């Protein structure tokens, strides 16, 4: 006869043996479902830029460099001119009058003005002619033409590649001279002032960043017509 073994008499398996038995009893399908597959490492994909785009980028960078170099050179030239005229005015401090800041020199320095300062060289002129030159430059000072010139020169330095900016700066100074000439010619001493044109046509030239009486005087001289009664009528002559 068979002996019946009670549940209390059966010895439990060790815990390690139980884990091994559970792993053996696991089916292959359960292992596949429970596992998480690892993603394959991403390979970087580099897009090759067309050669035409690369050439365009190099051209753009080259143009930017050329523009910056040009603007830097123009700004340096402008600063050098400003320093030059400031040093010149500083050297003439002893000659300026306290009232209207006019310096009358005995040399042949052509008349010019910068801000509120006026420099006139006698250069063989009579006292009446010197007074006419001073009056001409006072028109520039009164209408703040130096500020206009400085603005035009700054724009020209920034937009040096634009030819219209150069034409604008040149025509601005010409308009300034016509304004001063018109006021002086309309004065009672207009005939005496017009005679200065002829005196200065073949004279020396001195270019400053402000306003100078000799600027394009040949063209300006052609804009004055002498009438039979010795009166002078300014004409807007803008010859090249």
């Amino acid at each position: 006869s068979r002996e019946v073994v009670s549940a209390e008499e059966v010895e439990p398996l060790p815990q390690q043996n139980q884990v091994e038995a559970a792993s053996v009893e696991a089916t292959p399908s359960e292992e596949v479902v429970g596992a998480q597959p690892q993603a394959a490492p991403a390979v970087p994909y580099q897009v090759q830029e067309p050669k035409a785009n690369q050439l365009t980028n190099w051209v753009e960078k080259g143009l930017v460099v050329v523009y910056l170099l040009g603007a830097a050179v123009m700004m340096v030239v402008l600063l050098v001119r400003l320093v030059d005229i400031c040093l010149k005015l500083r050297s003439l401090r002893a000659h300026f009058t306290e009232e209207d800041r006019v310096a009358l020199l005995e040399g042949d320095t052509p008349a010019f003005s910068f801000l509120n300062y006026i420099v006139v060289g006698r250069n063989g002129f009579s006292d009446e002619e010197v007074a006419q030159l001073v009056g001409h430059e006072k028109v520039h000072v009164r209408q703040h033409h130096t500020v206009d010139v400085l603005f035009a020169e700054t724009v020209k330095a920034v937009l040096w590649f634009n030819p219209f900016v150069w034409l604008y700066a040149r025509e601005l100074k010409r308009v300034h001279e016509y304004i001063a000439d018109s006021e002086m010619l309309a004065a009672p001493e207009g005939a005496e002032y017009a005679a200065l044109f002829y005196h200065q046509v073949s004279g020396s030239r001195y270019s400053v960043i402000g306003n100078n009486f000799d600027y394009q005087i040949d063209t300006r001289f052609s804009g004055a017509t002498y009438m039979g009664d010795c009166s002078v009528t300014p004409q807007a002559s803008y010859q090249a």
Side-chain angles (χ1 to χ4, degrees):
S1 63
R2 297 181 178 180
E3 296 180 358
V4 179
V5 181
S6 63
E8 290 81 2
E9 295 179 356
V10 178
E11 296 181 358
L13 295 175
Q15 185 176 3
Q16 182 177 3
N17 295 338
Q18 293 178 1
V19 172
E20 291 178 355
S23 61
V24 170
E25 293 176 357
T27 60
S29 60
E30 293 176 349
E31 293 180 359
V32 174
V33 172
Q36 295 182 356
Q38 295 181 354
V43 178
Y45 178 73
Q46 298 181 353
V47 178
Q48 295 293 334
E49 189 176 4
K51 294 184 178 180
N53 293 342
Q54 296 179 0
L55 179 61
T56 302
N57 293 337
W58 279 106
V59 171
E60 291 178 353
K61 293 179 181 179
L63 291 176
V64 171
V65 171
V66 171
Y67 164 75
L68 293 177
L69 289 176
V73 171
M74 293 293 295
M75 291 300 296
V76 169
V77 172
L78 177 60
L79 292 176
V80 169
R81 295 177 64 189
L82 284 173
V83 171
D84 177 66
I85 192 171
C86 289
L87 292 177
K88 184 176 182 63
L89 294 175
R90 184 178 180 181
S91 65
L92 299 174
R93 284 184 301 178
H95 299 272
F96 286 108
T97 58
E98 296 182 359
E99 297 179 358
D100 47 11
R101 296 182 181 180
V102 177
L104 301 178
L105 307 180
E106 297 297 334
D108 57 351
T109 302
F112 71 92
S113 61
F114 182 80
L115 295 177
N116 295 330
Y117 295 92
I118 298 174
V119 177
V120 176
R122 292 185 180 276
N123 195 20
F125 293 116
S126 64
D127 293 340
E128 291 77 10
E129 291 173 333
V130 171
Q132 296 288 336
L133 293 174
V134 173
H136 174 95
E137 298 303 329
K138 282 185 176 180
V139 176
H140 293 307
V141 172
R142 187 167 57 252
Q143 299 196 12
H144 307 288
H145 287 169
T146 301
V147 178
D148 296 340
V149 174
L150 290 176
F151 174 77
E153 292 295 327
T154 304
V155 174
K156 189 171 68 174
V158 176
L159 302 177
W160 58 267
F161 57 89
N162 190 338
F164 294 102
V165 174
W166 292 74
L167 293 175
Y168 165 76
R170 188 186 70 176
E171 292 301 316
L172 179 64
K173 295 191 69 174
R174 182 183 293 187
V175 169
H176 286 170
E177 295 304 322
Y178 275 112
I179 291 174
D181 291 339
S182 298
E183 288 200 18
M184 295 303 298
L185 291 172
E189 300 82 9
E192 289 78 3
Y193 176 80
L196 289 176
F197 282 94
Y198 181 78
H199 190 92
Q200 290 289 99
V201 163
S202 58
S204 59
R205 300 290 186 269
Y206 181 72
S207 177
V208 296
I209 197 171
N211 301 98
N212 55 301
F213 179 77
D214 287 345
Y215 181 77
Q216 293 190 351
I217 194 169
D218 297 358
T219 304
R220 289 157 52 201
F221 180 74
S222 65
T225 302
Y226 291 86
M227 309 301 292
D229 56 353
C230 295
S231 62
V232 182
T233 304
Q235 295 178 349
S237 175
Y238 290 88
Q239 300 175 0

